Amino acid sequence: EAGVAQSPRYKIIEKRQSVAFWCNPISGHATLYWYQQILGQGPKLLIQFQNNGVVDDSQLPKDRFSAERLKGVDSTLKIQPAKLEDSAVYLCASTQGGEKLFFGSGTQLSVL
Amino acid sequence: KQEVTQIPAALSVPEGENLVLNCSFTDSAIYNLQWFRQDPGKGLTSLLLIQSSQREQTSGRLNASLDKSSGRSTLYIAASQPGDSATYLCAVGGGSTLGRLYFGRGTQLTVWP
């Protein structure tokens, strides 16, 4: 069974630039999550999708972050414009509706 | 707001030792508690999931306990091996939506031969 796929693995940008991350969840998993993990901290939920609808985006900085999950499969997370404090690993996870989450390897973002 | 704390932040032990990692949380109204393993440059791997109605779960050399009333969980690793070296994260499931996890900062474990 293929796992959660994320790309790119690494991204380096300058502040005020825009960036996008892609996630393809495990086939058949209806629920998809984006987490942000700042160095030395635990992951923090940014947004949760159920199929192509948003369930929870209460911690998403909506002035600069956006996410979509068209057709209820893969998802894109965008930051525009990026700030220095956005440097982090962005993790995508999915679940079939149970409680065990499967995580991708993440995208490491450095904002200079 | 749920706060999750893990102690110790780092641990270095010789191979063969039995270990205890601690996790505490402030709000006992949880759905479940999970322990994850994170290797450098990789995502998280779920190790054990304890439902709020359960007291413990076991998988191989790993045993996790949950005391919801006191807001504590422990992860016990028996006969540690160098391959166990990783960061161990505790996550509490709660809030308004199922699947929302609140993570601790993790315990960085090093097991040397």
Side-chain angles (χ1 to χ4, degrees):
Chain A
E1 178 183 83
V4 177
Q6 289 190 247
S7 66
R9 286 299 311 277
Y10 306 94
K11 191 73 177 178
I12 301 174
I13 62 172
E14 295 186 350
K15 60 183 179 182
R16 290 187 290 273
Q17 286 187 325
S18 62
V19 64
F21 314 125
W22 175 81
C23 171
N24 190 11
I26 293 173
S27 178
H29 282 196
T31 309
L32 183 148
Y33 310 81
W34 284 102
Y35 280 83
Q36 178 194 57
Q37 186 176 22
I38 294 172
L39 186 64
Q41 298 184 18
K44 182 185 80 172
L45 179 68
L46 292 176
I47 189 167
Q48 176 182 348
F49 290 95
Q50 180 73 21
N51 296 309
N52 60 349
V54 175
V55 175
D56 185 349
D57 63 356
S58 57
Q59 297 196 98
L60 186 74
K62 298 181 186 63
D63 58 333
R64 297 183 300 106
F65 286 66
S66 65
E68 60 182 11
R69 190 183 183 198
L70 299 176
K71 301 180 181 179
V73 182
D74 54 355
S75 175
T76 303
L77 177 69
K78 297 180 181 178
I79 308 175
Q80 182 179 7
K83 293 185 175 182
L84 297 177
E85 59 260 36
D86 297 332
S87 294
V89 176
Y90 291 84
L91 296 162
C92 179
S94 69
T95 181
Q96 195 168 9
E99 296 164 19
K100 183 175 181 180
L101 269 64
F102 295 85
F103 281 82
S105 298
T107 295
Q108 185 171 332
L109 173 67
S110 297
V111 182
L112 306 177
Chain B
K1 180 187 173 186
Q2 181 73 269
E3 300 284 345
V4 181
T5 303
Q6 291 188 245
I7 295 173
L11 187 60
S12 181
V13 300
E15 182 176 8
E17 280 208 1
N18 300 323
L19 310 171
V20 175
L21 307 183
N22 296 292
C23 172
S24 62
F25 47 95
T26 55
D27 186 349
S28 62
I30 64 171
Y31 297 123
N32 56 44
L33 185 143
Q34 298 186 56
W35 284 92
F36 291 87
R37 169 182 172 141
Q38 186 171 31
D39 293 281
K42 297 187 178 181
L44 282 68
T45 301
S46 180
L47 298 173
L48 291 165
L49 167 64
I50 311 176
Q51 300 292 349
S52 62
S53 59
Q54 297 176 322
R55 297 283 294 183
E56 65 177 344
Q57 281 287 333
T58 299
S59 176
R61 294 182 294 108
L62 304 179
N63 175 275
S65 66
L66 173 64
D67 185 343
K68 202 172 71 164
S69 61
S70 67
R72 296 180 185 275
S73 176
T74 59
L75 177 66
Y76 178 82
I77 303 176
S80 59
Q81 303 171 357
D84 295 331
S85 298
T87 297
Y88 291 81
L89 293 158
C90 169
V92 172
S96 58
T97 53
L98 187 64
R100 178 169 185 167
L101 298 178
Y102 297 86
F103 282 86
R105 290 175 178 251
T107 294
Q108 186 173 350
L109 173 65
T110 302
V111 182
W112 39 277

